[in-house]
Amino acid sequence: MIPSNNLREGITTGTCAAAAAQASVRWQISGQCPENVRVDTPSGKTVCLAVIQEEFPACGVIKDAGDDPDVTDGCEVIVRVTLFDEKGDICFKAGEGIGKVTRPGLKVPVGEAAINPVPRQMIEKEIRYCVGDVGAEVEISIPGGERLAAKTFNPRIGIEGGLSILGTSGIVRPMSESAVVESLKTYLSVAAAAKPEYICFVLGETGERRMREWLTAQKKTLARVEFVQISNYVGLMLDEAVRLNVKKILIGGFAGKLVKLAADIMNTHSHVADGRMETICTFAALAGAERAMIERLYACRTVTEAEQLLKDYGLEQIWNPISDRAAEKCRLRMGGDGDAAVVLLDESGRLLGKSRNTEAITG
């Protein structure tokens, strides 16, 4: 593939499936399996892919993710097209290693094979070009897909039994931030479709575990909440929550990241902005801390170090005002179309502070 930003681009599983489908149909028409096929991708790029001959009329194509760390890199996408004698629709079937949709909120209805709309359109285009408007059944398989799916978001968003056939452009662009954000938006869409009383944003797996433990200790019913891991993209995910008409958001996790929200830093990645100590020092000063203490606080390298210093000086109470300000900034980001509460925990999962509206969110 053509290099992009010094990284090699790859192809999506959708492009692999479209190529394998074309090869399967051509084999049935000509009696000979093609060695390679050309596919036009939605991005406008044309790719030429080698074909693996499987049991007639199934054909395979190897997924090449380029320099993107994709769990499906090197997997074989196998497609078996069954052509019907009469005109009709093209239907899709989940073969080995392909999941099925079990929850609403995705781009494919519940009960269908987890083959997204754009790959379906690409496959249909290849079949129609070869044989016109006859009906067909397309079975897609990825050997080992069920095992690999455990490393993806699929189990969380209600896709069971295997991987998804994905891709909107047909091309994989390495480490694409937009692709990560789109995955997170899909995750949130599924959570919202379950119509929970509120959604809990956490940054990662450890944060989710700690928030589950904390809510359980507060005797909160976890059945009322959907957890969504949002990485560092607090602001973008709040925007998406508004678009999905989600009214109540609890943002919880470690203060080392979430303290930034009080300074209106809505992407918590260290490469975007810091401001942790500046924020903590501001609230310590407002609470009456003397200059010498502020200087010591400002010199702290980690929030954990600052936590201990605040405790030593009897200033632990500032975590509640910090949480309040963080929640206020999040509500402002939502433009008055919802409410957000913030819970700050230390590294062991102990509560440091929470915004005053936390009980209103969690019930």
Coordinates of all heavy atoms in Angstrom, one line a residue, residues 220-265:
K220 N -25.0 1.2 45.3 CA -25.6 1.6 44.1 C -25.9 0.3 43.2 O -25.0 -0.6 43.2 CB -24.8 2.6 43.3 CG -24.4 3.8 44.1 CD -25.6 4.6 44.5 CE -25.2 5.9 45.2 NZ -26.3 6.7 45.7
T221 N -27.0 0.3 42.6 CA -27.4 -0.9 41.7 C -26.7 -0.7 40.4 O -27.0 0.2 39.6 CB -28.9 -1.0 41.5 OG1 -29.5 -1.0 42.8 CG2 -29.2 -2.2 40.7
L222 N -25.7 -1.6 40.1 CA -25.0 -1.5 38.9 C -25.8 -1.8 37.6 O -25.5 -1.5 36.5 CB -23.8 -2.5 38.9 CG -22.7 -2.2 40.0 CD1 -21.5 -3.1 39.8 CD2 -22.3 -0.7 39.9
A223 N -27.0 -2.5 37.8 CA -27.9 -2.7 36.7 C -28.4 -1.4 36.1 O -28.9 -1.4 34.9 CB -29.0 -3.6 37.1
R224 N -28.4 -0.3 36.8 CA -28.9 0.9 36.3 C -27.9 1.7 35.5 O -28.3 2.8 35.0 CB -29.4 1.8 37.5 CG -30.4 1.1 38.4 CD -30.7 1.9 39.7 NE -31.0 3.3 39.4 CZ -30.3 4.3 39.8 NH1 -29.2 4.2 40.4 NH2 -30.7 5.6 39.5
V225 N -26.7 1.3 35.4 CA -25.6 2.0 34.8 C -24.9 1.3 33.7 O -24.8 0.0 33.8 CB -24.6 2.5 35.9 CG1 -24.0 1.3 36.6 CG2 -23.5 3.3 35.2
E226 N -24.6 2.0 32.6 CA -23.7 1.4 31.6 C -22.3 2.1 31.7 O -22.3 3.3 31.7 CB -24.3 1.6 30.2 CG -25.6 0.8 29.9 CD -25.2 -0.6 29.5 OE1 -24.1 -0.9 29.0 OE2 -26.1 -1.5 29.7
F227 N -21.3 1.3 31.7 CA -19.9 1.8 31.7 C -19.4 1.9 30.3 O -19.5 1.0 29.5 CB -19.0 0.9 32.6 CG -19.3 0.9 34.0 CD1 -20.3 0.1 34.6 CD2 -18.7 1.8 34.9 CE1 -20.6 0.1 35.9 CE2 -19.0 1.8 36.2 CZ -19.9 0.9 36.8
V228 N -18.7 3.0 30.0 CA -18.1 3.3 28.7 C -16.7 3.8 28.9 O -16.5 4.8 29.5 CB -19.0 4.3 27.9 CG1 -18.3 4.6 26.6 CG2 -20.4 3.8 27.6
Q229 N -15.8 3.0 28.4 CA -14.4 3.4 28.5 C -14.1 4.4 27.3 O -14.3 4.1 26.1 CB -13.4 2.2 28.3 CG -13.6 1.3 29.5 CD -12.6 0.1 29.4 OE1 -11.7 0.1 28.6 NE2 -12.9 -1.0 30.1
I230 N -13.7 5.6 27.7 CA -13.6 6.7 26.7 C -12.1 7.1 26.4 O -11.9 8.1 25.7 CB -14.4 7.9 27.1 CG1 -13.8 8.5 28.4 CG2 -15.9 7.6 27.3 CD1 -14.4 9.8 28.8
S231 N -11.2 6.4 27.0 CA -9.8 6.8 26.8 C -9.6 8.2 27.3 O -10.1 8.6 28.4 CB -9.3 6.6 25.4 OG -7.9 6.9 25.2
N232 N -8.9 9.1 26.6 CA -8.6 10.5 27.0 C -9.7 11.5 26.5 O -9.6 12.6 26.8 CB -7.2 10.9 26.5 CG -6.1 10.2 27.2 OD1 -5.9 10.3 28.4 ND2 -5.4 9.4 26.5
Y233 N -10.7 11.0 25.7 CA -11.5 11.9 24.9 C -12.8 12.3 25.6 O -13.9 12.1 25.2 CB -11.9 11.2 23.6 CG -10.7 10.8 22.8 CD1 -10.2 9.5 22.8 CD2 -9.9 11.7 22.1 CE1 -9.1 9.1 22.0 CE2 -8.8 11.3 21.3 CZ -8.4 10.0 21.3 OH -7.3 9.6 20.6
V234 N -12.6 13.0 26.8 CA -13.7 13.4 27.6 C -14.6 14.3 26.8 O -15.9 14.1 26.7 CB -13.3 14.0 28.9 CG1 -14.5 14.4 29.8 CG2 -12.4 13.0 29.7
G235 N -14.1 15.4 26.3 CA -14.9 16.4 25.6 C -15.6 15.8 24.4 O -16.8 16.1 24.2
L236 N -14.9 15.1 23.5 CA -15.6 14.5 22.3 C -16.7 13.6 22.7 O -17.7 13.5 22.1 CB -14.5 13.8 21.5 CG -13.5 14.7 20.8 CD1 -12.5 13.9 20.0 CD2 -14.2 15.7 19.8
M237 N -16.5 12.8 23.8 CA -17.5 11.9 24.2 C -18.7 12.5 24.9 O -19.8 12.1 24.8 CB -16.9 10.8 25.1 CG -15.9 9.9 24.3 SD -16.6 9.1 22.8 CE -17.5 7.8 23.6
L238 N -18.5 13.7 25.5 CA -19.6 14.5 26.1 C -20.4 15.0 24.9 O -21.6 15.1 24.9 CB -19.1 15.6 27.0 CG -18.5 15.2 28.3 CD1 -17.9 16.3 29.0 CD2 -19.7 14.6 29.2
D239 N -19.7 15.5 23.9 CA -20.4 16.0 22.7 C -21.3 14.9 22.1 O -22.4 15.1 21.7 CB -19.4 16.4 21.6 CG -18.5 17.6 22.1 OD1 -18.9 18.3 23.0 OD2 -17.5 17.8 21.4
E240 N -20.7 13.7 22.0 CA -21.5 12.5 21.4 C -22.7 12.2 22.3 O -23.7 11.8 21.8 CB -20.6 11.3 21.2 CG -21.2 10.2 20.5 CD -21.5 10.4 19.0 OE1 -21.2 11.5 18.5 OE2 -22.2 9.6 18.4
A241 N -22.5 12.3 23.6 CA -23.6 12.0 24.6 C -24.7 12.9 24.3 O -25.9 12.5 24.3 CB -23.1 12.1 26.0
V242 N -24.4 14.2 24.1 CA -25.5 15.2 23.8 C -26.2 14.8 22.5 O -27.4 14.9 22.4 CB -24.9 16.6 23.7 CG1 -25.9 17.6 23.2 CG2 -24.3 17.1 25.1
R243 N -25.4 14.4 21.5 CA -26.0 14.0 20.2 C -27.0 12.8 20.4 O -28.0 12.8 19.7 CB -24.9 13.7 19.2 CG -25.4 13.5 17.8 CD -24.3 13.1 16.8 NE -24.0 11.7 17.0 CZ -24.7 10.7 16.5 NH1 -25.8 10.9 15.8 NH2 -24.3 9.4 16.8
L244 N -26.6 11.9 21.3 CA -27.4 10.7 21.5 C -28.5 11.0 22.5 O -29.2 10.0 22.9 CB -26.5 9.6 21.9 CG -25.5 9.1 20.9 CD1 -24.5 8.1 21.5 CD2 -26.3 8.4 19.7
N245 N -28.6 12.2 23.0 CA -29.7 12.6 24.0 C -29.5 11.8 25.3 O -30.4 11.5 26.0 CB -31.1 12.3 23.4 CG -32.1 13.1 24.1 OD1 -31.9 14.2 24.6 ND2 -33.3 12.5 24.3
V246 N -28.2 11.6 25.7 CA -27.9 11.0 27.0 C -27.9 12.2 28.0 O -27.2 13.2 27.8 CB -26.5 10.3 27.0 CG1 -26.2 9.9 28.4 CG2 -26.5 9.2 26.1
K247 N -28.7 12.1 29.0 CA -29.0 13.2 29.9 C -28.1 13.2 31.2 O -27.9 14.2 31.8 CB -30.4 13.3 30.4 CG -31.4 13.5 29.2 CD -31.1 14.9 28.6 CE -32.1 15.2 27.5 NZ -31.7 16.5 26.8
K248 N -27.7 12.0 31.6 CA -26.9 11.9 32.9 C -25.6 11.1 32.7 O -25.6 10.0 32.2 CB -27.8 11.1 33.9 CG -29.0 11.9 34.4 CD -29.7 11.1 35.6 CE -30.9 11.9 36.1 NZ -31.5 11.2 37.2
I249 N -24.5 11.8 33.0 CA -23.2 11.2 32.9 C -22.5 11.3 34.2 O -22.4 12.4 34.8 CB -22.4 12.0 31.8 CG1 -23.0 11.9 30.4 CG2 -20.9 11.4 31.8 CD1 -22.9 10.6 29.8
L250 N -21.9 10.2 34.7 CA -21.0 10.1 35.8 C -19.6 9.9 35.2 O -19.4 8.9 34.5 CB -21.4 9.0 36.8 CG -20.4 8.8 37.9 CD1 -20.4 10.0 38.9 CD2 -20.8 7.5 38.7
I251 N -18.7 10.8 35.5 CA -17.3 10.6 35.1 C -16.5 10.3 36.3 O -16.4 11.1 37.3 CB -16.8 11.9 34.4 CG1 -17.7 12.3 33.3 CG2 -15.3 11.7 34.0 CD1 -17.3 13.6 32.7
G252 N -15.9 9.1 36.3 CA -15.2 8.7 37.5 C -13.9 8.0 37.2 O -13.7 7.4 36.2
G253 N -12.9 8.1 38.2 CA -11.7 7.5 38.0 C -10.6 8.2 38.8 O -10.8 8.9 39.7
F254 N -9.4 8.0 38.3 CA -8.2 8.5 39.1 C -8.0 10.0 38.9 O -8.0 10.5 37.8 CB -7.0 7.7 38.7 CG -7.1 6.2 38.9 CD1 -6.9 5.4 37.8 CD2 -7.5 5.7 40.1 CE1 -7.0 4.0 38.0 CE2 -7.6 4.3 40.2 CZ -7.4 3.5 39.2
A255 N -7.7 10.6 40.1 CA -7.6 12.1 40.1 C -6.4 12.5 39.2 O -6.4 13.6 38.7 CB -7.4 12.6 41.5
G256 N -5.4 11.6 39.1 CA -4.2 12.0 38.3 C -4.5 12.4 36.9 O -3.8 13.2 36.2
K257 N -5.6 11.9 36.3 CA -6.1 12.3 35.0 C -7.3 13.3 35.1 O -7.2 14.4 34.4 CB -6.6 11.1 34.2 CG -5.5 10.3 33.6 CD -5.0 10.8 32.3 CE -4.2 9.8 31.6 NZ -3.7 10.2 30.2
L258 N -8.2 13.0 35.9 CA -9.5 13.7 35.9 C -9.4 15.1 36.5 O -10.3 15.9 36.3 CB -10.6 12.9 36.5 CG -11.0 11.6 35.8 CD1 -12.1 10.9 36.5 CD2 -11.3 11.9 34.3
V259 N -8.4 15.4 37.3 CA -8.2 16.7 37.9 C -8.1 17.8 36.8 O -8.5 18.9 37.0 CB -7.0 16.8 38.8 CG1 -5.7 16.7 38.1 CG2 -7.1 18.0 39.7
K260 N -7.7 17.4 35.6 CA -7.5 18.3 34.5 C -8.9 18.9 34.0 O -8.9 20.0 33.5 CB -6.9 17.6 33.3 CG -5.4 17.1 33.5 CD -4.9 16.4 32.3 CE -3.5 15.9 32.6 NZ -2.9 15.3 31.4
L261 N -9.9 18.2 34.3 CA -11.3 18.6 33.8 C -11.6 20.0 34.5 O -12.3 20.8 34.0 CB -12.3 17.6 34.1 CG -12.2 16.2 33.5 CD1 -13.3 15.3 33.9 CD2 -12.1 16.4 32.0
A262 N -11.1 20.1 35.8 CA -11.4 21.4 36.5 C -10.8 22.6 35.8 O -11.2 23.7 36.1 CB -11.0 21.3 37.9
A263 N -9.8 22.4 35.0 CA -9.1 23.4 34.3 C -9.7 23.5 32.8 O -9.1 24.2 32.0 CB -7.6 23.2 34.3
D264 N -10.8 22.8 32.6 CA -11.4 22.8 31.3 C -10.5 22.1 30.2 O -10.6 22.5 29.0 CB -11.8 24.2 30.8 CG -13.0 24.2 29.8 OD1 -13.7 23.2 29.8 OD2 -13.1 25.2 29.1
I265 N -9.7 21.2 30.6 CA -8.9 20.4 29.7 C -9.7 19.1 29.4 O -9.8 18.3 30.3 CB -7.5 20.1 30.3 CG1 -6.7 21.4 30.6 CG2 -6.7 19.1 29.4 CD1 -5.5 21.2 31.4

